[in-house]
Amino acid sequence: MQLTSTVALAASLLLAGASTAAAAVLPRDGARLAQFRVFGASGCKDLNYGFYTVDESDANTCKTFVNVPTAVKSLNLEAMNSPAANGCSFFIYTSEDCGAGRRSIPVQSCQELPADASEWGSWQIFCPSGAAA
């Protein structure tokens, strides 16, 4: 009897934890357009902070780098997904508002900081009307 109670309690705790974790997930919409990886050091090798996925709901909106422990020093655009991203272009910026230091990024190319910048501050995928579908 005590074993049954223990198992029931464990199951209910697991379900409660799963629903709390699901509530913290940000909603994403549309097709997956791209994936890129950010680094806290130059060279796209050291201090790998992980990857970002870019979905259709991200198109044509300036985004900042979130949950990185220090400044983003290099970036690699790992993939632009066809056909969803056909006609789209990926850009990174040295400002946090997509206003300065714009650079267009090709796939599988490590992007180092310009000499006059201290970090990459924001990113954007631009898709002309109807391109990301």
Side-chain angles (χ1 to χ4, degrees), residues 2 24 33 40 44 55 61 70 78-79 85 88 91 102 113 116 118-119 131 133:
Q2 186 177 6
L33 301 178
C44 295
D55 294 331
T61 305
T70 63
E78 296 179 332
C88 300
F91 300 95
R102 177 176 162 158
L113 281 169
D116 62 345
S118 61
E119 66 182 304

Side-chain angles (χ1 to χ4, degrees), residues 39-41 47 49 65 67-73 119:
F39 301 85
L47 299 177
Y49 294 153
F65 299 103
N67 298 324
V68 292
T70 63
V72 174
K73 303 290 185 180
E119 66 182 304

Side-chain angles (χ1 to χ4, degrees), residues 84-109:
N86 289 356
C88 300
S89 300
F90 187 81
F91 300 95
I92 54 176
Y93 302 83
T94 56
S95 65
E96 290 187 355
D97 64 356
C98 296
R102 177 176 162 158
R103 184 181 292 177
S104 177
I105 305 300
V107 174
Q108 292 300 336
S109 171

Side-chain angles (χ1 to χ4, degrees), residues 7-133:
V7 170
L9 176 62
S12 65
L13 288 174
L14 281 173
L15 288 174
S19 65
T20 302
V25 174
L26 297 175
R28 306 295 295 245
D29 292 323
R32 175 72 38 87
L33 301 178
Q35 177 176 308
F36 66 94
R37 188 171 297 273
V38 296
F39 301 85
S42 61
C44 295
K45 290 186 180 13
D46 295 327
L47 299 177
N48 180 347
Y49 294 153
F51 67 90
Y52 285 69
T53 57
V54 182
D55 294 331
E56 192 173 1
S57 60
D58 295 318
N60 306 320
T61 305
C62 181
K63 304 284 187 175
T64 58
F65 299 103
V66 295
N67 298 324
V68 292
T70 63
V72 174
K73 303 290 185 180
S74 61
L75 180 146
N76 181 37
L77 177 60
E78 296 179 332
M80 290 284 281
N81 299 329
S82 290
N86 289 356
C88 300
S89 300
F90 187 81
F91 300 95
I92 54 176
Y93 302 83
T94 56
S95 65
E96 290 187 355
D97 64 356
C98 296
R102 177 176 162 158
R103 184 181 292 177
S104 177
I105 305 300
V107 174
Q108 292 300 336
S109 171
C110 180
Q111 297 300 307
E112 303 282 347
L113 281 169
D116 62 345
S118 61
E119 66 182 304
W120 291 114
S122 56
W123 61 273
Q124 182 178 39
I125 189 162
F126 175 75
C127 301
S129 181

